[in-house]
Amino acid sequence: DAKTTQPPSMDCAEGRAANLPCNHSTISGNEYVYWYRQIHSQGPQYIIHGLKNNETNEMASLIITEDRKSSTLILPHATLRDTAVYYCIVRAYNQGGKLIFGQGTELSVKP
Amino acid sequence: GAGVSQTPSNKVTEKGKYVELRCDPISGHTALYWYRQSLGQGPEFLIYFQGTGAADDSGLPNDRFFAVRPEGSVSTLKIQRTERGDSAVYLCASSPQAGFSYNEQFFGPGTRLTVL
């Protein structure tokens, strides 16, 4: 079973920041938070991952609370092409193998 | 560079038939994963290979499903005696390695299997 909880859907206006929350209250000390997204009819795409510090790359920022029980993925200037299902996944960094996907959040970016 | 490719993109078959789905991973990636995704659901893990051997096949639903990767690159997912419930998108992913590594998995576009 997925170890994360996400809202099923969210809307965002084009050009505004999209903030996608994820709860992972049972996360272990050696588990990282990963985010993937899946655009319609495509395979999932890696976005970002982090342990406890905030992380930023060219796609997004990841904010993890101090107690690590929740996190937020931030798309700073959402575009229509960011419309997708976003998945938050927790797993140990040194654990090879499977990703356990939950239902994810369906983000709709509207003009 | 070339990403993960999967063939065919679509496969329609009849109940009871045998099907093979192929995955070509990114060159040099030693880890290869199979997932399947039913409509409206997140991808569900099936099996993963490290090199030629199956390191974890705990997600295969039953013995009708089998996967091979004989030379450590291309993999084939084989489904015997297909059932209507096998209809789904079958996704393949690869990563540079599956152990103590940066765990980004690169996914292919999937094969949509329809069992009539």
Side-chain angles (χ1 to χ4, degrees):
Chain A
D1 291 335
K3 300 168 68 173
T4 63
T5 304
Q6 300 177 252
S9 63
M10 293 182 64
D11 290 341
C12 178
E14 188 178 20
R16 304 298 294 269
N19 297 283
L20 293 98
C22 179
N23 286 319
H24 30 80
S25 58
T26 61
I27 193 169
S28 301
N30 67 341
E31 289 183 317
Y32 282 60
V33 180
Y34 292 82
W35 284 82
Y36 280 74
R37 75 179 183 184
Q38 188 172 24
I39 295 169
H40 183 62
S41 296
Q42 297 183 21
Q45 174 192 24
Y46 166 85
I47 301 172
I48 198 167
H49 76 285
L51 180 63
K52 55 183 178 181
N53 298 318
N54 298 339
E55 301 289 344
T56 296
N57 63 21
E58 65 278 5
M59 290 182 69
S61 295
L62 175 60
I63 308 297
I64 302 174
T65 58
E66 190 169 346
D67 64 8
R68 302 210 321 122
K69 293 185 177 182
S70 65
S71 60
T72 301
L73 179 74
I74 301 172
L75 308 178
H77 306 286
T79 70
L80 299 178
R81 289 175 295 180
D82 292 321
T83 293
V85 178
Y86 288 77
Y87 296 99
C88 170
I89 300 167
V90 297
R91 59 174 296 182
Y93 187 72
N94 61 354
Q95 177 190 8
K98 58 191 174 189
L99 294 171
I100 299 177
F101 291 83
Q103 301 277 37
T105 295
E106 185 168 9
L107 175 69
S108 296
V109 180
K110 300 182 183 298
Chain B
V4 177
S5 63
Q6 294 186 244
T7 54
S9 56
N10 281 283
K11 175 71 176 178
V12 180
T13 190
E14 294 179 344
K15 180 176 178 293
K17 299 291 188 182
Y18 168 84
V19 297
E20 290 189 350
L21 311 179
R22 176 187 169 107
C23 173
D24 282 84
I26 293 172
S27 178
H29 281 191
T30 60
L32 184 146
Y33 311 81
W34 284 99
Y35 297 82
R36 77 174 173 181
Q37 187 170 26
S38 300
L39 192 62
Q41 304 295 315
E44 173 191 19
F45 169 78
L46 296 176
I47 184 172
Y48 98 89
F49 292 86
Q50 179 67 1
T52 60
D56 182 354
D57 64 358
S58 62
L60 295 178
N62 51 60
D63 61 5
R64 295 187 297 106
F65 288 75
F66 189 72
V68 295
R69 195 186 185 200
E71 297 179 356
S73 55
V74 171
S75 176
T76 305
L77 178 66
K78 308 180 180 193
I79 310 174
Q80 298 177 322
R81 304 183 303 281
T82 53
E83 300 177 357
R84 292 193 179 89
D86 298 335
S87 296
V89 175
Y90 289 80
L91 294 162
C92 177
S94 69
S95 66
Q97 61 187 90
F100 292 80
S101 69
Y102 172 56
N103 280 313
E104 177 179 355
Q105 294 184 19
F106 297 82
F107 283 80
T111 293
R112 181 176 298 279
L113 175 66
T114 302
V115 181
L116 301 177

